[in-house]
Amino acid sequence: QSVLTQPPSVSAAPGQKVTISCSGSSSNIGNNFVSWYQHLPGTAPKLLIYNNNERPSGIPDRFSGSKSGTSATLGITGLQTGDEASYYCGTWDSSLTTYFFGPGTTVTVL
Amino acid sequence: EVQLVESGGGLVQPGGSLRLSCAASGFTFSGYEMDWVRQAPGKGPEWIAYMRSGGSTIYYADSVKGRFTISRDDAKNSLYLQMNSLRAEDTAVYYCTREGYGGNSDAFDLWGQGTLVTVSS
């Protein structure tokens, strides 16, 4: 059972923008960095955002991250069919000394 | 090439044991914090174990604490996961991951291809 919450699904038309929220508490998001991962079936998850808002090299700037208090948000602009995937937030929980992934959000391109 | 390659998965009966290995190449393995993450069929990823570079600090998820042991051999550029008292709910693809940004980033920037562990009689 995760300590993080995400909406089960979001959708938008090609070229549009979606945002995915990730909510936690002071022991996790509030005091630790948040990462975001993209998962396509049959492959390993892929890091999209680290340190709340940093993109690894090779990740397009269509993907962005932000954090405020005990919540974080992943934004995807210029939505493409290839963005259809599950997206997970992740962060360390200092009280539980455990890393948690969120339950995941499925992005559908209409 | 920078990569992680897992091995050692397979079919095991409940109560049995397996040892997973992860071979790292293309980077200075000894300088990185490493983790094991698993993903059960149709489920999201679940973090299960962490080891600091040098091995001084280890953490486990409650779901595997007391049954699984993470270890590393920097001379062999390898990470290991000894899994004992396996249960059906341990069935998953197990990934070796690297925390590539240091400090408190806790971000898994490099993943292996995964190795499937199936616990069934």
Side-chain angles (χ1 to χ4, degrees):
Chain A
Q1 196 80 346
S2 182
V3 298
L4 307 175
T5 58
Q6 295 180 237
S9 63
V10 297
S11 61
Q16 298 301 303
K17 175 181 179 179
V18 295
T19 59
I20 301 171
S21 61
C22 176
S23 181
S25 68
S26 59
S27 64
N28 42 70
I29 293 178
N31 283 284
N32 293 291
F33 287 119
V34 176
S35 303
W36 289 91
Y37 302 86
Q38 178 191 61
H39 181 241
L40 295 163
T43 69
K46 177 182 179 181
L47 180 65
L48 295 177
I49 298 289
Y50 69 98
N51 288 4
N52 305 328
N53 55 18
E54 301 285 345
R55 278 177 288 106
S57 69
I59 300 301
D61 59 7
R62 300 188 300 107
F63 295 92
S64 64
S66 64
K67 188 182 96 168
S68 179
T70 59
S71 294
T73 301
L74 174 70
I76 309 174
T77 59
L79 205 60
Q80 302 174 0
T81 55
D83 297 332
E84 285 201 328
S86 295
Y87 293 81
Y88 297 89
C89 57
T91 189
W92 182 255
D93 188 294
S94 304
S95 296
L96 298 174
T97 58
T98 300
Y99 187 94
F100 286 97
F101 291 95
T105 298
T106 300
V107 169
T108 301
V109 181
L110 300 172
Chain B
E1 181 185 1
V2 175
Q3 63 177 356
L4 299 169
V5 178
E6 302 94 338
S7 60
L11 175 64
V12 60
Q13 292 188 338
S17 298
L18 273 180
R19 189 194 194 207
L20 305 184
S21 298
C22 169
S25 58
F27 64 98
T28 306
F29 175 76
S30 61
Y32 288 89
E33 301 161 280
M34 300 293 295
D35 300 71
W36 287 97
V37 174
R38 69 184 179 185
Q39 193 157 16
K43 304 286 187 181
E46 177 191 14
W47 171 86
I48 56 172
Y50 158 91
M51 176 171 268
R52 183 169 291 175
S53 56
S56 58
T57 301
I58 292 173
Y59 295 113
Y60 296 101
D62 285 347
S63 58
V64 306
K65 200 173 295 181
R67 301 187 299 123
F68 290 11
T69 302
I70 187 174
S71 62
R72 63 192 297 162
D73 185 337
D74 290 345
K76 294 184 178 180
N77 292 329
S78 293
L79 183 73
Y80 305 101
L81 186 69
Q82 177 66 42
M83 304 186 296
N84 298 330
S85 303
L86 283 161
R87 307 165 180 167
E89 54 264 37
D90 295 318
T91 294
V93 175
Y94 284 72
Y95 296 101
C96 170
T97 68
R98 182 185 78 174
E99 295 191 27
Y101 297 99
N104 295 320
S105 284
D106 303 319
F108 311 121
D109 73 320
L110 182 65
W111 298 64
Q113 86 288 354
T115 187
L116 177 62
V117 172
T118 303
V119 184
S120 175
S121 55

